[in-house]
């Protein structure tokens, strides 16, 4: 969705590069040796609220969240058979799809996306959509590689994103830095 040439290339000269940590190496091993269900290394998760959300303000909050949350700027590349990671200084999401679902469409769409592998070496570390649910709710869906986040980190992402949104929309205090 947001593939960019920069993400397919090695990091810029002078960028600090890190080896994968042991848990990331295990996740990568799982990907390498899973033949039928490559989605084992990603976390698809959504949150729905019945409080109206201004998706334009939420997009601004998302870009602030990307700036605040290193996990959203973590990138990977492979060199000589080894995997490495680095952080982008800046990354901005220009377009977030906003989808309105019927009952059948919501389950089918989110399930299909959850089954579609995240291509962390081909310009994609996460996919995100905003949606209106079939029952009038407002939702945020993220599908992110497990190399960047675990389930607890996704919860922190949602919590911080909504805190930033509340700051922008309602003037509440900005959440504490992560």
């Amino acid at each position: 969705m947001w593939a960019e040439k920069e993400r397919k290339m090695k990091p810029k000269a002078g960028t600090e590069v890190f080896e994968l940590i042991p848990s990331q190496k295990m996740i990568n091993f799982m990907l390498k040796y899973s033949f039928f269900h490559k989605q084992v290394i990603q976390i698809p998760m959504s949150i729905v609220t019945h409080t109206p959300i201004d998706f334009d303000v939420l997009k601004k909050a998302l870009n602030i969240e990307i700036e605040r949350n290193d996990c959203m700027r973590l990138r990977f590349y492979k060199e000589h058979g080894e995997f490495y990671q680095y952080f982008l200084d800046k990354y901005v999401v220009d377009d977030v799809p906003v989808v309105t679902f019927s009952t059948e469409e919501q389950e089918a769409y989110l399930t299909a996306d959850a089954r579609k592998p995240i291509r962390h070496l081909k310009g994609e570390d996460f996919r995100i959509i905003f949606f209106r649910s079939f029952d009038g709710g407002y939702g945020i869906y993220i599908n992110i590689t497990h190399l960047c986040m675990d389930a607890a980190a996704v919860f922190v992402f949602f919590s911080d994103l909504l805190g930033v949104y509340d700051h922008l929309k309602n003037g509440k205090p900005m959440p504490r830095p992560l």
Side-chain angles (χ1 to χ4, degrees):
M1 182 182 319
W2 301 313
E4 56 182 282
K5 291 180 183 179
E6 181 177 64
R7 293 173 75 184
K8 292 181 182 180
M9 299 186 308
K10 295 178 191 174
K12 292 186 264 181
T15 300
E16 191 170 5
V17 172
F18 307 92
E19 291 184 10
L20 298 185
I21 61 173
S23 59
Q24 288 173 311
K25 287 180 181 180
M26 180 54 73
I27 291 165
N28 215 34
F29 179 83
M30 289 167 48
L31 176 64
K32 184 176 180 179
Y33 293 104
S34 64
F35 297 107
F36 300 111
H37 300 287
K38 295 292 188 185
Q39 70 269 22
V40 295
I41 71 149
Q42 61 201 39
I43 301 173
M45 201 174 290
S46 63
I47 186 170
V48 177
T49 180
H50 286 281
T51 302
I53 291 178
D54 180 330
F55 290 126
D56 291 328
V57 174
L58 187 60
K59 183 180 141 193
K60 291 175 187 170
L62 175 64
N63 281 314
I64 292 170
E65 178 64 15
I66 290 169
E67 197 174 303
R68 291 167 52 90
N69 190 335
D70 290 344
C71 296
M72 303 297 289
R73 291 179 286 106
L74 187 59
R75 300 297 181 253
F76 302 90
Y77 72 100
K78 188 175 180 179
E79 184 174 70
H80 307 297
E82 295 295 322
F83 290 88
Y84 298 95
Q85 58 189 329
Y86 64 98
F87 295 95
L88 294 173
D89 291 331
K90 184 148 180 82
Y91 179 68
V92 176
V93 172
D94 295 323
D95 187 37
V96 178
V98 177
V99 182
T100 301
F101 291 121
S102 69
T103 306
E104 303 82 25
E105 291 172 332
Q106 184 171 327
E107 185 173 335
Y109 183 98
L110 298 180
T111 299
D113 188 82
R115 291 179 176 162
K116 182 180 173 189
I118 296 287
R119 303 291 184 194
H120 65 279
L121 293 175
K122 294 186 179 181
E124 173 180 71
D125 292 309
F126 63 88
R127 292 187 293 268
I128 191 164
I129 66 162
F130 302 150
F131 64 93
R132 290 179 188 87
S133 65
F134 60 89
D135 61 354
Y138 296 79
I140 306 163
Y141 167 84
I142 188 168
N143 191 352
I144 189 163
T145 176
H146 201 342
L147 293 166
C148 290
M149 287 188 189
D150 61 11
V154 174
F155 174 79
V156 170
F157 162 78
F158 281 134
S159 178
D160 200 59
L161 175 62
L162 292 173
V164 172
Y165 173 83
D166 205 24
H167 168 74
L168 294 174
K169 183 73 175 168
N170 302 315
K172 300 287 182 176
M174 188 71 145
R176 292 184 326 191
L178 296 174

